[in-house]
Amino acid sequence: SLSFPLGSSSRPTRVSNTLTADKKGSHSLQSGTNGPVMGRDDLFYSVNAGYESLGGKTFSGNLNGTTPAAQLGAGYAQGDTFKSVNGTASGSIVAHAGGVNFGQTVGESFTLVEVPGTRGVPVGNNAGVTTGANGYAIVPNAQPYRANWINLDSSQLGADIEIDNTTQQIIPRRGSVTVARFNVK
């Protein structure tokens, strides 16, 4: 088995090859590559091809992405005796005093970020999470009883919007929904 990265970025494309053989003469070769699509942090692909002396040729490809409202995936696989297509979608719907928001699949504890009247503000360190039309965003996971930092990426805001402090620390309880409110001018 051999696996190595292509490039030196923090999430490089990886290539892997595996060759197996046994004493009875059967053998298989699997080769594949996976990584981010065009360097993005929210869209990943994988492509694999193989040959097994007992099972024939196989091919599969998958695409997985993260949006502010869900995780989405699509895949295709084919072999000498089968073909399959699959799709996945997972997410959450959170109703709260400020409205209803769609988000990525939430964990046991999660955070509701409030940036009043400001749509499309990216929440740092959370791929694809941005504030919706009502100014709220869902950060899908928070570690209970620990300091969690909520960071807003203000680099994409217009000159007419000012956020007092783009970083907040929250310490949620287990199973809680914590609200992080940011002041906007």
Side-chain angles (χ1 to χ4, degrees):
S1 182
L2 175 66
S3 177
F4 55 90
L6 296 177
S8 60
S9 69
S10 62
R11 292 189 177 184
T13 296
R14 296 195 67 81
V15 174
S16 60
N17 296 287
T18 303
L19 175 64
T20 59
D22 65 19
K23 293 179 182 180
K24 296 179 182 178
S26 64
H27 59 278
S28 69
L29 174 63
Q30 300 288 326
S31 295
T33 182
N34 64 66
V37 174
M38 297 177 6
R40 295 175 55 161
D41 285 338
D42 59 353
L43 189 60
F44 293 89
Y45 77 94
S46 67
V47 177
N48 296 289
Y51 173 79
E52 295 181 21
S53 60
L54 300 175
K57 295 176 279 194
T58 59
F59 170 80
S60 67
N62 293 290
L63 191 62
N64 295 296
T66 302
T67 71
Q71 288 98 359
L72 305 171
Y76 174 79
Q78 177 178 333
D80 289 345
T81 59
F82 71 93
K83 288 183 183 178
S84 73
V85 176
N86 68 63
T88 60
S90 63
S92 63
I93 300 172
V94 177
H96 52 89
V100 175
N101 286 80
F102 294 92
Q104 299 169 6
T105 304
V106 296
E108 178 184 27
S109 301
F110 64 95
T111 303
L112 189 62
V113 176
E114 180 185 1
V115 187
T118 310
R119 177 185 192 141
V121 178
V123 180
N125 300 331
N126 292 282
V129 175
T130 61
T131 56
N134 60 357
Y136 286 86
I138 300 166
V139 175
N141 291 296
Q143 190 173 19
Y145 308 109
R146 300 272 191 272
N148 291 256
W149 291 95
I150 306 296
N151 304 307
L152 301 181
D153 181 359
S154 62
S155 67
Q156 298 180 21
L157 297 178
D160 59 336
I161 297 173
E162 181 180 324
I163 299 176
D164 289 341
N165 186 1
T166 59
T167 302
Q168 275 193 38
Q169 179 186 33
I170 59 159
I171 303 174
R173 292 182 179 194
R174 184 171 308 283
S176 70
V177 178
T178 307
V179 179
R181 290 183 176 89
F182 291 86
N183 295 322
V184 177
K185 297 177 187 172

